[in-house]
Amino acid sequence: MTNALTVLLTLLDLAGLVMLGLYFLQMLLSALLPTPRRQLRPDDTLHFTFLIPALNEERVIGATVLTLRELAPEARVAVIDDASDDATAAIMTRLAVQDARVSLLSRTAPQAREGKGQALNWAVQQLLTPLQAAGADLSREIFVVVDADGRITPGLLAEARAALADGHVVGAQARVRIRPSVTRLSPRTLVGRMLEQQQDLEFFIIRHVQRLRERWHSVGLFGNGQFMRASYLASQLARGVPAWPDCLSEDFASGLEMRLARPENRMAFLESAVTQQGLPDLRLFSRQRARWTQGTMQCLPYLPRLWASRVPWLARLDLTYFILSPWMNAVIVLSLLTQPLRWLMGTQGLVLDATVSAVITALNIGLQLQWVARYQRENGLSPARVLFTLASLPVYGFALFLSLPMAYRHHFTGRRTWDKSTRHAEPGESLPTTGD
């Protein structure tokens, strides 16, 4: 029995080390490979429609719509009110009256509040119907999903026009950046500001991973700043397939569906950013990351379809790695948590071997330091801000560690509902009134 348990624990350690090795390999490749260059000219015949799912977003929705209209005056903006209890619908009704390129799509019970994916699927159908009736060229109609607190940067649509000039590109994902809070740093706000700093660093790293994925044709869609060609959406709906599947990671799953619909379909990554508010609350941040983890776990049934498809093999490998990452994290955590059992058995686990531990520690510290150095170069951080970023790493790691058992518990108990993120009004933004 003891020998069998020793073998089992050794295999667990080996699996954990393999998972860590794959993670280090992905990080190294993401850091070292040069940025792919896009050669196509922008397609000025494309038309953009922003889709903004909104549930109780009165604090931010007005400023978001006004900013989009200012930076993209040629685009349309459609807000999907998912039966809000606050003044979201009233604010949007007033803006729609004042601006013909702004519209309000209202969902009502019992169909409302069924999730972001359901709201987007419904809204796209509402918008496609008049376009199809008018005989519009749907390959030149682009829907852009933006969160209720999202702000696009000036060059985003120009870059999207260049990426989508390639007819095989049916979707794209913009870089995401975090807008820091303007509250003064104090003992009360310290943890929140650290989390915001790490969220922006996290998206900085994701930017480099997405560059790697663009080479492999496996760019992931992650919601805010997600572009989709209307012709693809129409073909999915005609087949009875929702563009955004019913899961907690509906955005990533929508990219999988896009990839599986036709092997020729491609997705691009856009360097121009969409900015959003961070989550400066440890509990809310852990819950958000747990939701993301659980949503990825729900994508496990895609693997047989993925490997039966003609998707390029590097893309299949990368997407498989991402889908399995929550399960691989569980293996790593189990390997670490069972180390005390080795002591009771009078043995030493591989993870606690001095040489193995030194290599893992050195690689991890080296990777983190090089990311912070790159982040510093891009943002021109002061030495004090660099130290603050480094000091924030343990807080971020602790928050992620808290999210894992929550995700596993909710997944295996069948819980699928989550509290939505709470947003705050930002100083200096003009907010429309609701009127009489």
Side-chain angles (χ1 to χ4, degrees):
M1 178 65 179
T2 301
N3 289 337
L5 183 58
T6 300
V7 171
L8 178 62
L9 293 174
T10 300
L11 291 175
L12 181 64
D13 280 355
L14 287 172
L17 291 174
V18 169
M19 308 312 175
L20 284 172
L22 291 174
Y23 166 75
F24 290 141
L25 177 62
Q26 183 191 54
M27 290 295 101
L28 287 171
L29 290 175
S30 299
L32 297 176
L33 289 180
T35 304
R37 294 185 178 181
R38 190 168 289 120
Q39 303 293 336
L40 295 175
R41 291 178 177 273
D43 185 347
D44 293 329
T45 66
L46 298 178
H47 305 109
F48 295 95
T49 300
F50 290 99
L51 302 177
I52 310 176
L55 174 60
N56 296 331
E57 301 287 7
E58 64 178 2
R59 296 177 179 177
V60 294
I61 193 63
T64 296
V65 171
L66 292 176
T67 302
L68 287 174
R69 293 294 297 125
E70 178 183 355
L71 293 177
E74 76 282 6
R76 294 184 178 275
V77 179
V79 173
I80 312 157
D81 178 51
D82 210 15
S84 297
D85 298 317
D86 65 1
T88 297
I91 291 171
M92 286 312 308
T93 298
R94 186 176 182 85
L95 288 175
V97 169
Q98 296 172 347
D99 190 339
R101 301 190 77 81
V102 174
S103 60
L104 171 65
L105 304 176
S106 298
R107 286 167 61 79
T108 56
Q111 288 76 29
R113 301 194 181 190
E114 295 179 335
K116 176 182 174 183
Q118 297 280 15
L120 287 169
N121 287 322
W122 174 84
V124 164
Q125 183 65 74
Q126 307 305 307
L127 295 169
L128 283 175
T129 298
L131 288 173
Q132 291 169 321
D137 182 355
L138 296 184
S139 68
R140 303 193 181 282
E141 299 289 336
I142 310 297
F143 291 122
V144 190
V145 180
V146 176
D147 287 349
D149 62 341
R151 305 285 187 275
I152 66 171
T153 49
L156 179 60
L157 293 192
E159 186 178 356
R161 289 183 184 280
L164 291 160
D166 181 348
H168 292 299
V169 175
V170 295
Q173 176 61 52
R175 179 185 179 183
V176 177
R177 296 217 61 173
I178 298 297
R179 297 192 301 275
S181 299
V182 296
T183 54
R184 280 187 70 180
L185 186 62
S186 67
R188 186 176 62 86
T189 63
L190 178 62
V191 171
R193 294 290 291 276
M194 284 182 163
L195 286 175
E196 286 182 332
Q197 182 71 66
Q198 287 302 311
Q199 287 167 70
D200 195 50
L201 176 60
E202 175 185 36
F203 282 119
F204 174 81
I205 297 171
I206 290 173
R207 166 204 185 189
H208 286 76
V209 175
Q210 290 276 54
R211 287 175 174 178
L212 175 65
R213 287 175 172 159
E214 188 165 27
R215 290 175 173 274
W216 294 349
H217 305 297
S218 58
V219 168
L221 300 182
F222 297 112
N224 203 8
Q226 172 185 348
F227 291 69
M228 280 191 170
R229 209 180 286 270
S231 53
Y232 160 75
L233 295 170
S235 67
Q236 288 292 94
L237 292 173
R239 295 167 48 219
V241 179
W244 287 271
D246 184 20
C247 73
L248 294 173
S249 288
E250 70 285 326
D251 301 306
F252 174 70
S254 69
L256 288 174
E257 290 288 352
M258 187 180 292
R259 170 66 64 211
L260 293 169
R262 292 177 65 239
E264 299 81 11
N265 287 348
R266 296 286 183 267
M267 287 174 282
F269 175 68
L270 308 178
E271 283 287 340
S272 301
V274 171
T275 69
Q276 64 185 44
Q277 295 177 3
L279 276 176
D281 182 278
L282 182 63
R283 183 183 66 86
L284 294 178
F285 177 79
S286 296
R287 288 179 62 83
Q288 182 196 65
R289 291 306 189 268
R291 183 176 74 245
W292 291 3
T293 299
Q294 184 183 356
T296 306
M297 296 171 77
Q298 292 173 338
C299 292
L300 188 64
Y302 276 103
L303 288 182
R305 289 178 58 195
L306 181 63
W307 284 96
S309 71
R310 292 186 291 115
V311 171
W313 70 273
L314 277 176
R316 278 183 278 175
L317 285 174
D318 182 61
L319 292 169
T320 298
Y321 171 78
F322 186 86
I323 292 171
L324 291 179
S325 59
W327 310 95
M328 295 190 295
N329 289 337
V331 170
I332 295 172
V333 170
L334 283 174
S335 177
L336 293 172
L337 293 179
T338 55
Q339 296 304 310
L341 185 59
R342 327 300 171 91
W343 301 334
L344 295 175
M345 297 171 57
T347 62
Q348 183 183 56
L350 291 175
V351 176
L352 294 185
D353 177 82
T355 302
V356 174
S357 296
V359 171
I360 292 175
T361 302
L363 283 174
N364 191 43
I365 292 176
L367 280 173
Q368 298 303 326
L369 288 176
Q370 69 88 23
W371 285 128
V372 172
R374 289 169 179 267
Y375 184 72
Q376 186 278 333
R377 285 199 301 270
E378 178 181 271
N379 296 281
L381 301 183
S382 66
R385 177 59 70 173
V386 171
L387 290 175
F388 181 79
T389 303
L390 291 171
S392 304
L393 285 169
V395 176
Y396 169 75
F398 177 69
L400 291 183
F401 183 78
L402 288 179
S403 72
L404 289 176
M406 190 188 309
Y408 300 141
R409 182 174 71 252
H410 289 174
H411 181 73
F412 289 112
T413 58
R415 174 173 173 171
R416 292 172 54 89
T417 58
W418 290 84
D419 298 332
K420 69 180 294 295
S421 299
T422 301
R423 312 190 208 275
H424 56 270
E426 297 177 65
E429 292 189 327
S430 58
L431 299 175
T433 60
T434 59
D436 297 331

